[in-house]
Amino acid sequence: PAVVVDLSEGVLYHYDLEGYLYEAYPVAQGKATTPTKPGLRVVTNIEKYPYSTAPKTTKRAQNPEAYGPYTVCLANIDTKTGKITGSDGQFIHGTNQPNSIGKKFSKGCVRLNNDDVSELVKRLA
């Protein structure tokens, strides 16, 4: 399956294994001072609230309720070499601020409504 985030429309599209659109979800994305970076990424792991496996120095370990029920952790891919180049700390996750959906509000992460991220994770796992 594939996930495409259209930053110009503020929508996350989830495609099935055959390339058919499965679902589209409204998202919050990075604000002007901390924009969501475009690029190709791969899912490295999916963490579940209360994020006890997250490194203790991370925001999701220190403030887990802000990330909703799941965080989809991502790593960047170099489009020229295909190599994974590491994470930039921008993930897909739920939110405790549902009013942020549809806005440029985050520090770069892509936020979904909690029900939407739960549904997405079931299909990605």
Side-chain angles (χ1 to χ4, degrees):
V3 172
V4 175
V5 178
D6 184 332
L7 297 173
S8 67
E9 295 195 17
V11 177
L12 182 149
Y13 297 97
H14 177 218
Y15 295 90
D16 68 14
L17 292 171
E18 296 179 17
Y20 294 103
L21 180 62
Y22 188 81
E23 190 66 68
Y25 303 103
V27 301
Q29 58 182 294
K31 54 190 169 191
T33 56
T34 54
T36 302
K37 298 173 189 168
L40 185 62
R41 295 181 176 79
V42 63
V43 174
T44 57
N45 63 304
I46 297 172
E47 295 179 353
K48 185 175 181 178
Y49 180 86
Y51 307 111
S52 56
T53 59
K56 301 297 179 208
T57 58
T58 63
K59 293 177 197 171
R60 64 190 182 283
Q62 295 173 3
N63 188 17
E65 60 279 349
Y67 289 76
Y70 293 97
T71 295
V72 179
C73 299
L74 306 169
N76 297 310
I77 299 175
D78 183 313
T79 57
K80 293 179 183 167
T81 66
K83 293 186 179 185
I84 295 174
T85 60
S87 174
D88 59 13
Q90 293 188 351
F91 305 126
I92 299 169
H93 60 79
T95 183
N96 65 349
Q97 296 178 309
N99 60 331
S100 69
I101 302 301
K103 299 175 184 165
K104 292 184 177 184
F105 196 84
S106 76
K107 292 186 178 177
C109 286
V110 173
R111 297 181 184 181
L112 284 85
N113 283 309
N114 289 338
D115 289 345
D116 292 346
V117 76
S118 295
E119 183 178 314
L120 177 66
V121 162
K122 285 179 190 172
R123 292 189 174 83
L124 292 179

